[in-house]
């Protein structure tokens, strides 16, 4: 299986995030991608290539251009305010404030950070824009390779991750929604139906929001129940899409402590929704923070479970783009991710 990867991810390395009310060292660190790449090589998964530059247009098929422009200049605006440490928002326009203020009227960086975000756990640093832009290009290059070569699967080793990023919001360590950008790019290249299967421990709230009113992209997610788990305010089972998108969104939330049996039962239900939809291509939001030793997550999958996930995905029989999302047990993220991919390879033949 071909892997797309760029060292540019290293430019994004936040120092601190707000965890449990305290500024703590970030868990979404460059070593995550390094560990996955090392395992790709150790297991001889296949060729590793650098991304091509597909430009901004495919990003702006998903994200509001004002949001993209904000991300591009956020660090400079923050620095111009005299700050030489990571940028974090602290005030949001939720229910009792106005949510319809034209962002062009917001002058200060603190207002803009609040307008374009939904959490205080996602620091912006000097290299964040370049790293996020390149991460989207990794996904887009994976999409192009899959379409152009007729391969069964490609692995887009994206970092920073993307599935929490909405049309005009960053959060959950995500800035640009790599999986959504790739899915739209498949459609723009001629596909009519794309399914996104999100196996990350967290709900892919950004991906759900982006495609919630559309029937050309099916979204299915297995994740920690929002009753207990971040991002709390999306990912509930009754969210099944709206308007033309009604019936094209499926959430499978599970309680803290869920291990192999409940997880695979929910996963099988999600896989049947994907098969019932009959997509021409599947994008997998591949997070391995479902692992039992993940430091911020509370599921209990074992290393031996990951190849089985890959085997089941291979049974879809259609091309698959794997897009890296979360996974914070840094020493095992490579083994678990590549285990899933080799499971796919052995079953796909
Ligand atoms: C933990 C804060 C959780 C968000 C996690 C995002 C994971 C992305 N107290 N922060 S895959
Ligand atoms: Zn996650």
């Amino acid at each position: 299986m071909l892997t797309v990867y760029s060292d540019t991810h290293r430019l994004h390395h936040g120092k601190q995030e707000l965890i449990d009310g305290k500024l703590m060292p970030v868990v979404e660190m460059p070593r995550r991608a390094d560990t996955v790449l090392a395992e790709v090589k150790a297991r001889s998964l296949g060729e590793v290539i650098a991304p091509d530059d597909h430009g901004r247009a495919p990003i702006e098929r998903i994200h509001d251009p004002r949001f993209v422009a904000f991300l591009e200049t956020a660090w400079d605006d923050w620095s111009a305010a005299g700050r030489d440490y990571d940028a974090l928002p602290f005030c949001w326009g939720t229910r009792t404030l106005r949510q319809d203020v034209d962002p062009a009227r917001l002058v200060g960086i603190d207002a803009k950070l609040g307008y374009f975000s939904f959490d205080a756990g996602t620091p912006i640093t000097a290299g964040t824009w370049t790293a996020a832009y390149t991460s989207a290009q990794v996904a887009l290059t994976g999409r192009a390779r899959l379409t152009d070569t007729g391969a069964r699967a490609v692995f887009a080793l994206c970092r920073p991750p993307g599935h929490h990023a909405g049309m005009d919001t960053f959060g959950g360590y995500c800035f640009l929604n790599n999986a959504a950008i790739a899915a739209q790019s498949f459609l723009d290249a001629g596909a009519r139906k794309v399914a996104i299967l999100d196996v990350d421990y967290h709900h892919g709230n950004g991906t759900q929001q982006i495609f919630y009113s559309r029937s050309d992209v099916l979204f299915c997610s297995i994740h920690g129940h929002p009753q207990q788990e971040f991002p709390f305010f999306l990912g509930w089972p009754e969210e099944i899409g709206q308007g033309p998108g009604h019936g094209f969104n499926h959430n499978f939330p599970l309680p803290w402590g869920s291990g192999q049996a409940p997880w695979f039962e929910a996963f099988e239900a999600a896989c049947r929704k994907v098969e019932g939809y009959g997509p021409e291509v599947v994008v997998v939001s591949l997070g391995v923070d479902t692992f039992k030793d993940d430091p911020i997550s509370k599921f209990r999958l074992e290393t031996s479970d990951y190849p089985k996930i890959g085997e089941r995905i291979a049974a879809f029989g259609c091309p698959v783009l794997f897009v890296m999302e979360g996974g914070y047990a840094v020493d095992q993220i490579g083994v678990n991710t590549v285990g899933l991919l080799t499971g796919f390879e052995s079953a796909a033949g």
Side-chain angles (χ1 to χ4, degrees):
M1 187 185 305
L2 181 74
T3 296
V4 189
Y5 168 83
S6 169
D7 276 330
T8 303
H9 75 85
R10 285 179 214 289
L11 294 177
H12 175 63
H13 49 106
K15 285 180 196 66
Q16 294 183 308
E17 62 171 287
L18 198 58
I19 299 181
D20 301 340
K22 285 188 283 198
L23 278 174
M24 305 284 282
V26 294
V27 298
E28 200 293 285
M29 61 182 80
R31 197 160 68 84
R32 296 179 56 251
D34 299 341
T35 309
V36 177
L37 182 68
E39 192 66 14
V40 163
K41 291 179 175 167
R43 296 284 304 270
S44 304
L45 185 69
E47 195 188 349
V48 179
I49 62 162
D52 303 315
D53 188 357
H54 294 258
R56 265 169 114 96
I59 296 173
E60 295 186 350
R61 291 282 288 143
I62 291 298
H63 295 286
D64 186 329
R66 294 173 299 185
F67 171 66
V68 178
F70 157 79
L71 287 177
E72 190 174 16
T73 57
W75 175 258
D76 289 342
D77 292 350
W78 180 260
S79 303
R83 302 162 184 177
D84 63 354
Y85 44 88
D86 296 355
L88 285 178
F90 71 93
C91 177
W92 293 271
T94 54
R95 292 176 300 286
T96 57
L97 300 177
R98 273 180 64 180
Q99 294 180 281
D100 64 343
V101 177
D102 180 347
R105 294 172 66 195
L106 301 173
V107 176
I109 183 61
D110 296 304
K112 291 185 195 175
L113 281 165
Y115 184 86
F116 289 116
S117 71
F118 70 90
D119 81 354
T122 310
I124 293 179
T125 69
T128 297
W129 160 253
T130 304
Y133 177 87
T134 306
S135 191
Q137 300 303 330
V138 166
L140 284 163
T141 301
R143 194 291 298 162
R145 283 293 180 129
L146 206 54
T147 304
D148 298 349
T149 66
R152 267 303 307 276
V154 171
F155 176 38
L157 209 181
C158 294
R159 183 186 170 271
H163 73 149
H164 293 297
M167 265 171 206
D168 61 0
T169 53
F170 72 95
Y173 314 147
C174 300
F175 302 94
L176 296 173
N177 195 316
N178 308 310
I181 291 165
Q184 183 64 52
S185 179
F186 277 115
L187 295 169
D188 293 343
R192 281 160 304 173
K193 290 201 279 181
V194 179
I196 302 179
L197 177 58
D198 190 323
V199 299
D200 186 280
Y201 170 76
H202 302 91
H203 179 241
N205 60 285
T207 316
Q208 170 170 317
Q209 183 257 328
I210 287 163
F211 297 115
Y212 204 60
S213 303
R214 292 171 51 170
S215 60
D216 52 352
V217 178
L218 177 83
F219 179 66
C220 295
S221 178
I222 307 106
H223 50 269
H225 201 293
Q227 228 165 22
Q228 297 172 301
E229 192 52 76
F230 177 93
F232 309 116
F233 308 107
L234 212 66
W236 298 70
E238 66 271 21
E239 297 158 8
I240 59 167
Q242 71 185 17
H246 187 87
F248 297 95
N249 193 93
H250 301 286
N251 287 321
F252 300 89
L254 294 169
W256 280 349
S258 295
Q260 188 190 60
W263 195 88
F264 275 89
E265 192 183 326
F267 175 59
E268 182 58 31
C271 287
R272 297 225 170 121
K273 292 289 187 192
V274 170
E275 288 165 344
Y277 181 66
E280 291 147 274
V281 58
V282 174
V283 176
V284 175
S285 267
L286 172 50
V288 292
D289 37 11
T290 45
F291 182 54
K292 63 178 169 48
D293 294 331
D294 193 274
I296 63 165
S297 311
K298 294 186 166 68
F299 283 175
R300 293 188 185 145
L301 294 194
E302 315 256 355
T303 293
S304 57
D305 288 325
Y306 291 95
K308 297 175 205 156
I309 302 174
E311 283 166 28
R312 180 65 184 88
I313 291 169
F316 293 152
C318 67
V320 177
L321 178 65
F322 292 97
V323 176
M324 191 78 222
E325 302 283 2
Y328 304 97
V330 181
D331 292 332
Q332 289 99 352
I333 174 179
V335 173
N336 293 338
T337 301
V338 179
L340 189 153
L341 299 173
T342 52
F344 175 94
E345 293 267 82
S346 60

